[in-house]
Amino acid sequence: MSNTFLIIIFSAILVDNFVLSKFMGICSFLGVSKNLKTAMGMSGAVVCVMLVASAITWPIQHFLLNPLKLGYLQTLVFILVIAALVQMIEMIMKKSMPPLHKALGIYLPLITTNCAVLGVTILNINSNYTFMESMVNALGAGIGFTLSLFLFSGVRSRIDKADVPEALRGLPITLISASLVAVSFLGFKGLVENLFGG
Amino acid sequence: MPQSLVDILIPTGIMLGIALLLGILIVIVSRVFAVEKNETKEKILEALPGANCGGCGFAGCEGYADYLTKPGANTALCAVGGVDCAREIASILGTEAAIPEKKVAVPRCQGTCEQTSKRYVYLGTSSCHAASGLLGGPNSCTFGCLGFGDCVAACAFGAITIKDGICKIDRALCHGCGQCVKVCPKKLIELMPITATVAVRCQNEWPGARTRKNCSIGCIGCQKCVRSCPQGAISMRESLAVIDQSKCIHCDACVNGCPTHAIAFLRGEPKKQDNHSESLAQEK
């Protein structure tokens, strides 16, 4: 049992990293990785929203959509629920946790339609995860997002200091280096199965 | 009812139901968790320039607005908003306005690549702080501007550029927030009153001969300006002239007498005032 959780969480963080292997959430990945502080703020918000969104969408799928045979409404309903959810989280946070709201606040609205969040909820359903497995997967996906942002903000601060050929300055070199970081994550393929004997 | 109609109505109804439920929930949450806003603070925040430069010493304009809502707060801390902003804040608070003195940043170095030479080839990180850590930087004059642009990065208003190896500050764009003063490892940028017309554009304290060898526009400590100043506003620190701006009467005698042109007009030409200082002079 605990082995399954370990496999899920490490797969989500390293092997199937949402940004670098599945290429989800690239927009925010490139947008906020300019420096470490904003990167960590965004990651914190993503982890929060992924966890809560998974916790809400799993019951919706299994207790509302599946019995009524409305599986095709999945994307629509999930987007609606996630967007509303993030709005509510933001309001609640503003009132009860002002410091946290200050740290995450401006990033929360940005991720209402982040495809990584929608992706993790749909993948939970498609992989036939139980509720607990879904939560673990969401946590892993969030940590994976954090990890890739953390690594890439370091890479970008180095790019800023480097003498880049003029034609590649700005977005081109950022995309090239992002792809190189993604290639390095290919090295994790097969790691989890061998470690935990899945 | 035909089956096809039911197939359409059920999903529509469910979507509507979910949307309605979420809408009601959001309204309830926004009522329950409504944050009372401080009206005075909101007004002050609107009056402030919103540059978030940190020149007042608080974390952005919001931090300063927070401070201003407390009694006895100093309304003169915002250099960017200047006189108008201080007045507006004071009228919101209903207190006497403390008028800030408008200042601009002045780099005290004119040692361009032509005037100075390099002691070694620096290939390290492109930052003044890093370069100054290596024997005080590659320049022949170790007091002067390194030209890697730490100040450019610190300026929130895009007022600073690097030209010919030294920093240039656009007086029209400078708001006098003092962020560049803080980051310069050579401490060569100084905030001066905008009414100042002349300044010693050098901070080299070496004896004259050594200065001359390393920079053709540095202050050599000849004391000609000290003698020529009718107000006694100029004094010597080691072998560097220092002007006391509060005593200056803008007679320009020091500039005309300076053999190396280390003392220079701040606006390029004498007696030509820019609009801002004119309006300030009228107010005074």
Side-chain angles (χ1 to χ4, degrees), chain B residues 8-28:
Chain B
I8 294 174
L9 281 180
I10 287 181
T12 318
I14 287 192
M15 284 305 288
L16 262 177
I18 292 176
L20 209 64
L21 193 73
L22 288 172
I24 293 169
L25 264 177
I26 287 183
V27 171
I28 293 172

Side-chain angles (χ1 to χ4, degrees), chain B:
Chain B
M1 205 184 283
Q3 185 62 34
S4 59
L5 196 64
V6 175
D7 281 348
I8 294 174
L9 281 180
I10 287 181
T12 318
I14 287 192
M15 284 305 288
L16 262 177
I18 292 176
L20 209 64
L21 193 73
L22 288 172
I24 293 169
L25 264 177
I26 287 183
V27 171
I28 293 172
V29 169
S30 70
R31 285 280 159 80
V32 173
F33 291 94
V35 182
E36 337 62 69
K37 281 184 180 159
N38 188 334
E39 267 187 37
T40 332
K41 189 187 149 190
E42 294 293 312
K43 270 190 198 160
I44 293 175
L45 209 52
E46 255 174 51
L48 287 170
N52 288 319
C53 63
C56 50
F58 296 93
C61 292
E62 197 168 341
Y64 184 41
D66 254 339
Y67 159 78
L68 280 168
T69 52
K70 288 168 196 147
N74 183 0
T75 56
L77 294 180
C78 184
V80 179
V83 181
D84 296 339
C85 176
R87 290 231 172 97
E88 201 168 329
I89 293 169
S91 72
I92 293 169
L93 293 172
T95 54
E96 191 79 6
I99 303 299
E101 186 185 22
K102 182 78 187 170
K103 289 189 167 183
V104 285
V106 176
R108 288 178 295 168
C109 179
Q110 302 184 105
T112 59
C113 300
E114 276 176 23
Q115 324 283 357
T116 59
S117 53
K118 296 274 183 270
R119 295 184 294 158
Y120 60 87
V121 178
Y122 177 76
L123 294 172
T125 311
S126 177
S127 131
C128 302
H129 264 277
S132 76
L134 196 59
L135 297 172
N139 288 359
S140 54
C141 167
T142 52
F143 292 89
C145 181
L146 293 162
F148 290 105
D150 283 13
C151 49
V152 177
C155 184
F157 307 99
I160 311 181
T161 47
I162 299 289
K163 209 182 156 209
D164 300 330
I166 59 167
C167 63
K168 300 258 183 228
I169 300 181
D170 187 336
R171 289 170 68 89
L173 293 176
C174 178
H175 288 72
C177 68
Q179 289 301 306
C180 50
V181 177
K182 281 184 209 154
V183 298
C184 180
K186 294 295 183 189
K187 306 267 169 268
L188 66 77
I189 303 177
E190 188 185 345
L191 285 180
M192 289 186 186
I194 197 158
T195 48
T197 52
V198 294
V200 183
R201 304 291 295 275
C202 177
Q203 57 167 1
N204 187 319
E205 294 177 6
W206 288 338
R210 192 176 173 196
T211 307
R212 189 121 231 191
K213 220 187 233 171
N214 291 303
C215 176
S216 59
I217 200 163
C219 174
I220 53 172
C222 67
Q223 307 200 11
K224 215 170 162 185
C225 50
V226 178
R227 289 191 295 275
S228 69
C229 183
Q231 295 292 308
I234 306 180
S235 57
M236 299 301 292
R237 190 178 73 212
E238 299 289 321
S239 110
L240 173 71
V242 180
I243 299 178
D244 182 351
Q245 295 288 356
S246 61
K247 289 184 189 164
C248 177
I249 54 165
H250 316 301
C251 69
D252 305 341
C254 49
V255 183
N256 299 329
C258 183
T260 60
H261 305 293
I263 301 183
F265 292 115
L266 289 175
R267 297 193 187 86
E269 285 170 51
K271 304 290 182 199
K272 197 186 155 203
Q273 305 226 324
D274 58 53
N275 291 336
H276 197 97
S277 63
E278 260 172 22
S279 66
L280 194 93
Q282 279 167 10
E283 272 168 15
K284 278 190 174 170

